[in-house]
Amino acid sequence: MRTVAIVLAAGQGRRANTPRPKQFMELPEGPVLTLAIRRFLRHPEVDAVQVAVRAQDDEAYGQATRPFDDRLLPSTTGGATRQESARNALRALRQVDPQYVLIHDAARPMVRPKLISRVLTELQRSQAVFPTLPVTDCLWQSTADDAIGRPVDRSQYHRAQTPQGFHYADILAAHEKHAGENFDDDASLAQHAGLSTATVPGAPDNIKITTADDLRQLAQRQAVTRVGQGVDVHALGPGQGVKLCGVQLPHDRSLIGHSDADVAWHALTDAIYGALGAGDIGQHFPPSEDRWRDCDSRVFLDDAVARASSAGCRIVNVDLTIVCEHPKIAPHRDEMCARTAEACQIDVGAVGIKATTTEGLGFAGRGEGIVAFATVTLSTHLESIP
Ligand code: CTP
Ligand code: MG
């Protein structure tokens, strides 16, 4: 094998302090570790990936790596420090004996193919290659006696990124030789060991997740919007009052249906199912089943909202149009919006309810029934990060 990428995933993520180590947290596109591994396995010049992981994270590792074939080599156990984890991974590759290794932090799931290529190209000329970025913020050096410290010339500094590339035999020997000493990353170890080094430009979007806020920002960036629409019609018949968006409106007729015939919430429920690609209301609550007779439509809406949440989505906004001559919607609009917002667990400002007539035309114009149209947008989001 020519090139193996080592992905270090044996940290505890103390600074991020998430319910699981940050490399196992879910982003909209998948767990952080899954994304990091995929970036390398998809690169045409990378032959295999070797991960270092703590023994107690075996189950999370198994889940995160389910999508991959045997180009993902059996994992190796991490160590107490990043350096130890890297050394273990390098040792695990003895049999494979690749020509080049790329050592990468699992906490950088956004690494792009171009950066991987830059590192590999430069490896033809140097024993060790590091991507770096200029420091763009002003830099201040803290001093013991002065709260603000002293400004520093930032042009003298740069930030180190991964993947860092090495000739396998050289970096393995360097790690073995300096096993007792502590280095921040493989670049500093390689430099200390006297390998010929070069830098290539890093990538600003190759961010390293350090804090929970980094995870949140990444989740935001990966979020996808899904749109759903729903339509429903119910006939008006003898009775007193109609229920729309969970609110009882006075009327001299009533909506006819198997359930409480809340046509507006039925349309909304279908819109949510639609955005999720999860069938429709008739499939989940068949009118042929007696247990849904006279059922409060809130039960249907709650089901759709719960499905959205378990699919990792949150509702962004709801837009409803109700078509009828009577009853008049406007006096009840605020209450209908409030009930809908509460059911959808969103701000009332994210719910629009509009009413229109058909100028007396058609079945709605003749007062034979009510039509409702709903549009909803959902956003994929991260599992809640404390
Ligand atoms: N890492 C590792 N083994 C260790 C420590 C770190 O494999 N003993 C990995 C982490 O999983 C991460 C990368 O090295 O992908 C960079 O380390 P860092 O961002 O410091 O992650 P953690 O050590 O997990 O976080 P913290 O320092 O906040 O505890
Ligand atoms: Mg650390």
Side-chain angles (χ1 to χ4, degrees):
M1 254 185 231
R2 192 171 149 91
T3 304
V4 176
I6 289 174
V7 175
L8 300 176
Q12 298 178 51
R14 283 201 197 87
R15 285 168 291 178
N17 196 24
T18 40
R20 275 165 285 132
K22 59 195 178 187
Q23 59 271 31
F24 300 112
M25 292 295 284
E26 285 278 346
L27 287 168
E29 292 174 8
V32 171
L33 176 61
T34 312
L35 305 187
I37 295 172
R38 184 178 292 147
R39 297 282 180 152
F40 287 96
L41 286 180
R42 285 195 178 159
H43 193 283
E45 290 172 74
V46 174
D47 301 304
V49 169
Q50 167 74 60
V51 180
V53 69
R54 298 189 304 170
Q56 61 262 54
D57 291 330
D58 263 2
E59 199 184 318
Y61 176 78
Q63 278 176 18
T65 54
R66 222 178 293 151
F68 304 116
D69 60 18
D70 59 4
R71 292 203 305 137
L72 175 64
L73 305 172
S75 67
T76 184
T77 314
T81 61
R82 185 188 182 282
Q83 190 179 333
E84 266 183 60
S85 297
R87 190 170 67 238
N88 288 355
L90 287 165
R91 285 178 178 166
L93 291 175
R94 276 204 183 108
Q95 292 296 318
V96 176
D97 192 27
Q99 189 172 358
Y100 303 120
V101 284
L102 297 166
I103 304 183
H104 186 67
D105 295 335
R108 291 185 191 269
M110 303 302 286
V111 55
R112 286 182 195 271
K114 266 191 180 162
L115 178 56
I116 298 172
S117 298
R118 276 206 288 279
V119 174
L120 286 173
T121 303
E122 186 55 41
L123 263 185
Q124 309 296 309
R125 288 184 287 267
S126 310
Q127 288 172 294
V129 180
F130 324 124
T132 62
L133 278 181
V135 175
T136 49
D137 289 334
C138 285
L139 263 191
W140 287 70
Q141 182 173 31
S142 311
T143 48
D145 53 337
D146 192 342
I148 185 164
R150 249 189 248 106
V152 190
D153 177 8
R154 66 173 170 239
S155 66
Q156 294 183 11
Y157 294 85
H158 48 245
R159 296 185 286 148
Q161 292 195 325
T162 70
Q164 300 178 345
F166 306 92
H167 292 230
Y168 173 66
D170 298 337
I171 190 69
L172 176 63
H175 263 275
E176 295 293 7
K177 186 165 169 211
H178 299 284
E181 302 155 55
N182 202 11
F183 294 90
D184 268 353
D185 60 6
D186 306 280
S188 44
L189 194 150
Q191 192 189 42
H192 186 80
L195 303 187
S196 67
T197 61
T199 62
V200 292
D205 59 1
N206 177 28
I207 69 154
K208 198 196 74 168
I209 299 164
T210 302
T211 63
D213 196 56
D214 295 331
L215 261 176
R216 263 182 235 113
Q217 285 188 34
L218 215 48
Q220 203 105 44
R221 222 194 292 171
Q222 291 184 359
V224 168
T225 301
R226 306 183 69 145
V227 179
Q229 66 148 27
V231 181
D232 196 29
V233 176
H234 276 273
L236 284 161
Q240 287 295 315
V242 299
K243 202 164 170 199
L244 291 171
C245 295
V247 178
Q248 197 65 35
L249 276 66
H251 192 41
D252 57 7
R253 313 203 74 199
S254 196
L255 284 168
I256 310 300
H258 185 67
S259 64
D260 66 1
D262 188 334
V263 63
W265 271 5
H266 290 184
L268 173 55
T269 303
D270 255 358
I272 299 171
Y273 287 140
L276 293 171
D280 64 22
I281 196 168
Q283 179 185 333
H284 300 301
F285 301 97
S288 53
E289 287 182 14
D290 212 46
R291 60 191 166 137
W292 309 122
R293 183 177 299 284
D294 300 327
C295 179
D296 185 338
S297 295
R298 174 71 189 253
V299 171
F300 312 150
L301 185 52
D302 282 350
D303 177 77
V305 171
R307 278 172 197 263
S309 170
S310 52
C313 293
R314 79 188 156 80
I315 297 173
V316 177
N317 79 303
V318 164
D319 181 20
L320 274 165
T321 303
I322 299 166
V323 186
C324 62
E325 304 284 334
H326 299 287
K328 290 296 167 204
I329 303 296
H332 308 281
R333 191 195 319 263
D334 288 351
E335 200 186 344
M336 290 163 64
C337 283
R339 292 273 179 102
T340 303
E342 195 249 325
C344 293
Q345 299 161 24
I346 55 176
D347 201 85
V348 72
V351 177
I353 295 181
K354 313 181 303 296
T356 188
T357 69
T358 54
E359 302 286 341
L361 299 171
F363 69 86
R366 293 190 296 271
E368 292 166 10
I370 298 182
V371 194
F373 298 94
T375 303
V376 67
T377 56
L378 307 185
S379 174
T380 56
H381 72 128
L382 183 66
E383 65 185 296
S384 60
I385 301 167

